[in-house]
Amino acid sequence: MRIVLDRAKCTGIGICESLAPTVFEVDDRGELVVLAAEVPEGALDEVTEAVEGCPAMALRLEP
Amino acid sequence: MEPNYPLHLPDFYIGDPAPAYRDLRRNSPVHWTDANGGFWGITRYEDVKFIGSRPHLFSSAKGVLMPDGKPKPAEPRPMLITTDPPRHNALRKLISKGFTPRHINAMEPDVREIVRGVLDSAKAGVELEYAEGIVAKVPVRIIADLLGAPAEDWEQFRAWSDASVGSADPGITLTSQEAFGALTTYFRRLIELREQRRANDLISILMDAEVDGESLSHDELMSFLHLLLVAGNETTRNLIALGTIALINHPEQLRMLVEDPSLIPSAVEEMLRYVSPVTHMTRWATEDVELRGRTIRKGQAVVLLYGAANRDEDVFGDTAEQFDITRRPNPHLAFGTGEHACMGLSLARLEARVFFEELLARFDRVELTGEVLRMRSTMVPGVRTMHVRLGANEKAAVR
Ligand code: HEM
């Protein structure tokens, strides 16, 4: 599964980082960095939660 | 016949709006109210999400409060919350980096100290006033601290903040205009201090911030400060006070929480859903839009009723109207939805969690001893005063 970020929607609030810290990180300029293009093994649950929990609806999973 | 409810009046929200919400979700989910120049009320979860995530069709620029019948200023003050994309996103990133869960969690020791300081004044077994006297002190101290205001000014802050949101409340003597003026003067002084020397606070971050190579205008800076104070205060107080009342009304759940404090984070989510401390935000249609067979005309106001969406049986099932601190998943919209969704949500969650952890470690019983007085506001109809008696938690280790 690919992790797709819509930068125009992302507001860098970092809810995703709190749910899946191995995959998402908000840097010092407030930009979200996606640390893995594909969902890492064993992380699907937390990444799914992060995608669903994004209040800006800026994250998506694609096959 | 069309159902008819006074969606424009504070009393509607102070009473129990749940039956009306249920009726509207079912029979008139896109509901026209004539009062105050007219507005649409949206009650279904799916529709609130649809509108909240389409800022190009449903703009915030004309304000987020429901129409109140008063004339609007020709040039509203520029505010994050009333800015549309693309500028909204650029503005928001300036401060949102100070609100990420990582940054906010680092504040936990400070938050706990503030909560402990406030609860130290609460005695078991005697009647005490809980909303003003205890709960309200927590968020105002935390926001003022975050902004960089000195501790001796914190109480004054609360008075101004109360007055600027609850202007319909007869118990408040300052008008919202006057409170806004007082805050503006005060913030100007803080900015002058920071001009001489920056500090490790939000005001300093904002003064150094640039959007497209330009720093914020003085007005933008002012309204940011004003917004943070107002947005973070009444809301959190309302969540904790009405959340406490929900626990009082569901003694078996209070018992469960006392016995297993690891349930507190999920109890806070359920309080957010059940209480919906912010009843609504408003959007303005930028073109004609069809929704569930109704035509929303360009320029009309659309009021997103979060409390109604948060009881939607299509999402929360047949227990939607029940208070259940173990509910999971709990995808409530209490913090709004889309790009304007609450920026302070991690802070609000932290404050509420720490508050209930500390409260229940000291007191395992709470009872109301008198009437609950509410704020007369349509947006944040919080608790003005409530008297309670607390029972000491004998089992908890003495700190
Ligand atoms: C229980 C507590 C809270 C609730 C229920 C709440 C609710 C909301 C809601 C519903 C919105 C959406 C506005 C919209 O869509 O137009 C919002 C926005 C906002 N909130 Fe909160 N809030 C809470 C606490 C806080 C705190 C503690 C802060 C800051 C310290 C804060 C700062 C903000 C800001 C700055 C915005 C505007 C964001 C934007 O327009 O991009 N809130 N809040």
Side-chain angles (χ1 to χ4, degrees):
Chain A
M1 292 279 252
R2 251 171 17 98
I3 304 168
V4 185
L5 163 67
D6 183 345
R7 273 204 190 278
K9 288 190 178 158
C10 174
T11 66
I13 189 78
I15 302 301
C16 50
E17 181 183 315
S18 68
L19 295 166
T22 56
V23 176
F24 303 103
E25 188 180 310
V26 178
D27 71 12
D28 292 338
R29 289 168 307 141
E31 296 288 342
L32 177 62
V33 184
V34 182
L35 302 167
E38 299 273 331
V39 178
E41 191 128 356
L44 184 60
D45 280 358
E46 60 183 63
V47 172
T48 306
E49 218 179 322
V51 168
E52 282 167 5
C54 173
M57 292 178 251
L59 289 170
R60 218 169 58 238
L61 285 178
E62 275 180 4
Chain B
M1 222 189 80
E2 280 275 294
N4 189 12
Y5 298 105
L7 293 176
H8 60 297
L9 296 180
D11 287 338
F12 174 80
Y13 301 95
I14 293 170
D16 178 15
Y21 285 160
R22 193 183 319 133
D23 183 28
L24 288 170
R25 275 192 309 271
R26 194 166 304 155
N27 298 317
S28 185
V30 178
H31 182 75
W32 181 253
T33 296
D34 267 332
N36 297 344
F39 59 89
W40 295 99
I42 308 297
T43 44
R44 284 200 194 162
Y45 185 97
E46 194 190 336
D47 296 346
V48 169
K49 260 193 122 150
F50 177 88
I51 293 169
S53 58
R54 280 168 184 75
H56 297 283
L57 270 187
F58 298 98
S59 154
S60 297
K62 280 166 63 186
V64 288
L65 270 165
M66 66 169 62
D68 58 8
K70 295 182 197 139
K72 292 258 169 286
E75 293 262 326
R77 285 185 292 269
M79 278 231 181
L80 177 73
I81 203 164
T82 54
T83 302
D84 284 336
R87 188 172 173 80
H88 171 257
N89 201 306
L91 275 177
R92 177 150 162 150
K93 275 187 185 152
L94 295 179
I95 34 176
S96 68
K97 62 188 172 199
F99 284 90
T100 61
R102 196 162 21 120
H103 279 83
I104 294 301
N105 288 338
M107 289 175 69
E108 178 165 343
D110 288 1
V111 170
R112 198 170 295 277
E113 195 175 308
I114 288 174
V115 169
R116 285 185 174 163
V118 167
L119 286 174
D120 276 343
S121 68
K123 300 268 168 290
V126 295
E127 186 185 77
L128 51 89
E129 200 288 308
Y130 182 78
E132 288 258 288
I134 296 177
V135 178
K137 295 198 164 126
V138 172
V140 76
R141 287 185 186 179
I142 289 164
I143 304 280
D145 190 27
L146 194 76
L147 288 179
E152 63 267 22
D153 299 336
W154 291 353
E155 276 308 298
Q156 181 60 62
F157 252 176
R158 183 160 63 80
W160 288 331
S161 169
D162 278 1
S164 36
V165 280
S167 55
D169 194 308
I172 290 170
T173 48
L174 269 183
T175 66
S176 69
Q177 232 79 22
E178 286 165 342
F180 186 84
L183 278 171
T184 304
T185 310
Y186 184 77
F187 286 144
R188 196 171 292 137
R189 246 179 45 225
L190 280 183
I191 292 170
E192 277 162 15
L193 282 175
R194 294 293 177 272
E195 257 154 17
Q196 286 152 22
R197 204 157 51 89
R198 297 287 200 265
N200 181 21
D201 58 33
L202 210 56
I203 295 196
S204 303
I205 295 179
L206 291 173
M207 289 174 73
D208 288 333
E210 289 183 355
V211 182
D212 305 330
E214 274 182 57
S215 19
L216 295 183
S217 72
H218 183 77
D219 279 359
E220 274 176 328
L221 184 56
M222 281 303 196
S223 60
F224 247 154
L225 300 179
H226 184 75
L227 173 64
L228 283 176
L229 180 63
V230 173
N233 234 324
E234 285 304 316
T235 49
T236 313
R237 160 186 178 163
N238 193 11
L239 169 66
I240 296 177
L242 290 178
T244 303
I245 293 178
L247 288 176
I248 293 173
N249 291 336
H250 299 84
E252 75 298 343
Q253 309 228 13
L254 172 58
R255 197 103 323 275
M256 221 155 77
L257 207 52
V258 168
E259 267 152 35
D260 182 4
S262 74
L263 286 173
I264 290 176
S266 113
V268 168
E269 293 311 303
E270 181 65 348
M271 289 173 189
L272 282 159
R273 184 190 77 88
Y274 190 78
V275 164
S276 298
V278 173
T279 62
H280 74 277
M281 290 280 166
T282 300
R283 298 291 187 265
W284 304 80
T286 59
E287 47 188 88
D288 291 1
V289 186
E290 287 282 329
L291 191 59
R292 298 203 188 272
R294 313 297 298 258
T295 306
I296 299 171
R297 297 272 169 217
K298 179 175 176 178
Q300 283 178 334
V302 181
V303 173
L304 309 177
L305 292 158
Y306 299 125
N310 282 341
R311 306 267 178 119
D312 192 332
E313 3 345 62
D314 286 350
V315 175
F316 300 100
D318 49 13
T319 62
E321 310 255 0
Q322 285 159 29
F323 181 67
D324 172 7
I325 61 169
T326 64
R327 185 182 299 276
R328 207 185 145 83
N330 190 348
H332 64 75
L333 304 178
F335 289 120
T337 168
E339 347 196 325
H340 284 279
C342 182
M343 220 175 57
L345 83 187
S346 296
L347 182 59
R349 286 179 164 134
L350 174 68
E351 289 179 50
R353 170 171 66 77
V354 170
F355 184 89
F356 283 105
E357 281 170 4
E358 294 292 328
L359 179 79
L360 298 180
R362 290 156 194 249
F363 309 106
D364 62 357
R365 277 151 299 147
V366 193
E367 63 182 305
L368 280 175
T369 56
E371 218 185 325
V372 175
L373 272 183
R374 301 283 296 267
M375 296 278 201
R376 302 204 68 259
S377 153
T378 51
M379 188 179 261
V380 190
V383 177
R384 213 146 84 77
T385 55
M386 59 186 268
H387 288 81
V388 302
R389 192 179 297 115
L390 302 167
N393 189 342
E394 310 288 354
K395 278 193 271 196
V398 181
R399 277 199 308 117

